[in-house]
Amino acid sequence: MPQRREGSTSPERGRSGLSLQRAHALLSPLFLPSGPPLRSRRDRIPKSGHRATASQRARDLDLAVNGLRRRRPDFSAAEALWAWQKAALIFVLPILATVAVLAPHRAAFVVATTLALPFLCIVLLRTLALWKALAANRGTADAPAPTARLTALPRYSILVPLYDEADVVRDLLTALNDLDYPTDRLEIFLVLEETDRPTRNAVEAADLPRHMTPVIVPKGLPQTKPRALNYVLPRATGDLVVIYDAEDLPEPDQLRRAVAALAANPHLGCVQARLNVLNADETWLTRQFAIEYTVLFDCMLPTLEALKLPVPLGGTSNHFTRAALDDVGAWDPFNVTEDADLGIRLARHGWSVGVVSSTTWEEAPANFTSWLKQRTRWLKGWMQTYLVHMRDPLRTVRDLGGRQFVGLQILMGGMILSAFVHPWFYVAAAAELTYGPLNILGDDILSRAIKVVTAANLVLGYMSGVALGIVAMRGRGRQRLAAWALLMPVYWLLISLAAYRALLQLATSPYRWEKTRHRPRAAFAPQCPSGKKYPSAQTCPSAKTH
């Protein structure tokens, strides 16, 4: 029987209320190394080509939009702020501003002290990830990741939300057809928006195999990716569910590896594949994006998993057990980074998230406008997620336990805060260079100590971030890109710009989804880390993992 986890209400029941014995009984038949395939559902998943009635579509759409809001309104971002959060903004901020005017030294001391601890924790987290990455690079090559045997394979549902993606439909279908998984155990839903006629035409023109089914999502608001996923989920019959984006190129054995990873731990509700960038050499921004992705998915997320801290999911290649997905209420259609939110909700319901040693390759935004829009949406969604899960801090502590709650503050709260604060270090440094020491904090012992800690955080933050970028890229076999990690502090300034833009959007248009445009892979001549052309996943073997 699974052992009791921190925060569980009893040895038999997780924080979500789902009986752990029941979950284990449901999942175990899927993952036994030998034995017959599961027969609790149809032996073969047929292509569900039936047309729903107008009333069915209306009910499904209502459930997709309002299901989580009705079931757990405290988990829904439909209401941006709760009453006490609005009151805090209305009253606390003016009070702090008044104190800053009347007692600037004390106000600066309080702010600096408040910022010092979470920033120090971020530095320690990066340092630990760096140590693990160095240890992995010094060791021998990883053993091949286990893959599930044919007789043990569960049914898999792949959900692919598409909007304004007519140009990449052909590449997408090629990538999906390359997946190494028996089609009689696989169903693929191409989720299309009713108003997106060009993408619908591209899909209709394709010769879809029997296990691929287009699903049209009726028009409505909010027009977001999670709304589309919620709409199609009731049609999915798989025991496991994975999300892919239109531009994705997953390694062919990724589904098998996910099955094997989920088999190893019945507490796992999801495994996240590692994301990386095909067009890293295209522009300065794509190089920085590639370094950022490699650090996050190859180093940081495995470190969070090892520390048993909440893992905010990436927007694609999330492999869920259907039991976990149903347990947490699926996606929040009002959250524009539904993936990060879902990772935190899984943790609050007692499910673990792992990282699977398989890569999904993507296209990074190559120009500043596309990058800024995408990063604004990501940061806005992280703000939404943090505000949602801090509506009732005491309940969040009970759900997560003390350690995971602190992890939430460091990871989400600290990262958001650092994006806002980072440019002001440059402003303060420029002011001191121009006008001499400002002595804003005062000159007592405590103030001097905080100055030392703040300076150490800044220097160690840069050093650990850049060093981790270099080591991560070398671990991927991309040594020639490693030197670009030295310019990461400049990239962080751009992230700060996106953070302030995200804050403005959070106040004015919280559910606005700024779409990232994608191109056919042939348009940007994708390269493998080895420098070869990358027309399909087979031509580029997985890089060494950490």
Side-chain angles (χ1 to χ4, degrees):
M1 183 182 73
Q3 297 297 311
R4 181 181 183 182
R5 300 177 55 202
E6 179 186 359
S8 295
T9 56
S10 75
E12 295 80 23
R13 187 169 294 274
R15 287 186 290 274
S16 66
L18 178 70
S19 166
L20 292 179
Q21 291 99 327
R22 178 172 176 267
H24 188 268
L26 286 171
L27 297 175
S28 293
L30 300 177
F31 305 132
L32 291 175
S34 60
L38 181 72
R39 299 186 181 278
S40 63
R41 292 196 175 112
R42 294 184 295 259
D43 281 341
R44 182 179 180 87
I45 299 178
K47 180 175 179 179
S48 52
H50 66 276
R51 292 182 176 273
T53 65
S55 60
Q56 281 180 305
R57 290 197 298 271
R59 285 195 301 269
D60 289 347
L61 186 62
D62 177 69
L63 183 64
V65 173
N66 299 306
L68 180 65
R69 179 163 58 171
R70 293 187 186 122
R71 175 183 170 185
R72 289 296 303 269
D74 54 321
F75 282 160
S76 172
E79 184 179 359
L81 295 171
W82 277 15
W84 76 266
Q85 293 171 315
K86 294 176 183 177
L89 289 176
I90 293 172
F91 295 107
V92 173
L93 291 181
I95 291 173
L96 291 177
T98 303
V99 172
V101 172
L102 299 179
H105 292 299
R106 294 196 178 197
F109 179 82
V110 170
V111 170
T113 304
T114 302
L115 295 177
L117 181 58
F119 287 178
L120 178 61
C121 290
I122 292 173
V123 170
L124 293 176
L125 187 62
R126 282 181 184 158
T127 303
L128 179 58
L130 177 62
W131 177 80
K132 288 172 65 67
L134 287 170
N137 284 348
R138 285 196 300 267
T140 58
D142 295 340
T147 57
R149 291 172 52 184
L150 179 61
T151 56
L153 292 179
R155 289 164 177 77
Y156 233 116
S157 296
I158 299 178
L159 312 184
V160 189
L162 301 169
Y163 180 68
D164 197 14
E165 300 286 11
D167 292 340
V168 301
V169 166
R170 180 176 298 180
D171 287 340
L172 169 67
L173 297 180
T174 299
L176 294 175
N177 280 322
D178 282 345
L179 289 172
D180 176 22
Y181 209 82
T183 57
D184 64 341
R185 318 282 296 175
L186 182 66
E187 62 180 1
I188 300 176
F189 291 101
L190 306 176
V191 191
L192 309 166
E193 294 288 342
E194 182 180 20
T195 57
D196 182 14
R197 175 49 66 182
T199 306
R200 290 175 59 185
N201 290 342
V203 171
E204 290 168 4
D207 183 16
L208 298 181
R210 185 172 181 268
H211 63 286
M212 291 190 189
T213 305
V215 174
I216 309 300
V217 182
K219 60 182 179 182
L221 296 176
Q223 187 171 315
T224 58
K225 173 181 171 182
R227 182 191 76 131
L229 292 173
N230 282 343
Y231 183 82
V232 75
L233 184 61
R235 295 159 173 76
T237 61
D239 302 291
L240 301 180
V241 179
V242 62
I243 313 305
Y244 286 128
D245 284 340
E247 80 279 17
D248 284 356
L249 184 59
E251 291 181 337
D253 63 348
Q254 187 172 116
L255 302 187
R256 291 177 181 267
R257 291 193 181 200
V259 169
L262 290 165
N265 183 357
H267 286 296
L268 280 174
C270 176
V271 291
Q272 168 72 61
R274 303 182 186 210
L275 308 183
N276 217 292
V277 173
L278 280 170
N279 59 325
D281 285 319
E282 191 173 3
T283 66
W284 179 81
L285 274 175
T286 61
R287 294 184 189 103
Q288 294 300 318
F289 198 99
I291 295 169
E292 180 184 35
Y293 252 36
T294 306
V295 166
L296 177 61
F297 290 98
D298 287 6
C299 302
M300 294 298 293
L301 294 193
T303 300
L304 295 177
E305 178 189 7
L307 295 174
K308 301 188 185 303
L309 296 178
V311 176
L313 299 172
T316 178
S317 304
N318 322 125
H319 299 257
F320 301 95
T321 65
R322 183 61 183 265
L325 199 53
D326 288 342
D327 186 38
V328 302
W331 295 273
D332 180 3
F334 295 94
N335 192 312
V336 295
T337 51
E338 74 295 333
D339 39 18
D341 168 66
L342 195 51
I344 305 303
R345 264 194 288 136
L346 284 165
R348 291 188 65 174
H349 283 75
W351 296 96
S352 299
V353 173
V355 181
V356 65
S357 295
S358 179
T359 299
T360 295
W361 299 90
E362 296 190 318
E363 176 195 0
N367 61 75
F368 178 70
T369 300
S370 296
W371 179 91
L372 182 62
K373 290 180 178 180
Q374 183 187 71
R375 190 52 54 104
T376 297
R377 176 171 59 81
W378 288 359
L379 287 165
K380 179 171 64 173
W382 271 51
M383 294 175 200
Q384 286 180 310
T385 299
Y386 186 74
L387 289 171
V388 164
H389 293 286
M390 289 303 294
R391 287 170 169 173
D392 188 346
L394 292 179
R395 182 166 185 171
T396 304
V397 172
R398 289 196 300 269
D399 289 346
L400 291 175
R403 180 176 58 186
Q404 288 198 336
F405 180 80
V406 172
L408 174 66
Q409 306 311 309
I410 295 170
L411 186 67
M412 300 211 78
M415 293 295 185
I416 294 169
L417 193 60
S418 65
F420 287 128
V421 171
H422 182 233
W424 298 106
F425 284 116
Y426 292 96
V427 172
E432 292 220 354
L433 287 174
T434 304
Y435 302 107
L438 300 178
N439 288 326
I440 297 177
L441 292 177
D443 201 33
D444 56 277
I445 295 177
L446 283 177
S447 296
R448 289 199 295 270
I450 289 298
K451 285 180 184 178
V452 171
V453 172
T454 300
N457 279 344
L458 186 62
V459 173
L460 293 176
Y462 285 150
M463 291 178 61
S464 62
V466 171
L468 188 55
I470 292 172
V471 171
M473 296 307 287
R474 289 178 64 85
R476 274 279 172 178
R478 288 177 156 178
Q479 289 88 342
R480 57 196 172 79
L481 293 178
W484 290 95
L486 295 171
L487 294 177
M488 286 175 66
V490 180
Y491 185 67
W492 294 341
L493 285 175
L494 298 183
I495 293 175
S496 295
L497 172 63
Y500 281 100
R501 186 171 183 265
L503 184 63
L504 177 62
Q505 281 197 10
L506 185 65
T508 58
S509 52
Y511 314 124
R512 180 184 177 187
W513 190 288
E514 291 186 299
K515 179 73 178 65
T516 305
R517 297 294 302 270
H518 300 114
R519 300 166 292 170
R521 280 194 285 276
F524 51 88
Q527 299 283 323
C528 278
S530 63
K532 297 179 181 179
K533 295 293 183 180
Y534 198 98
S536 67
Q538 289 91 332
T539 64
C540 187
S542 176
K544 179 179 177 181
T545 54
H546 301 288

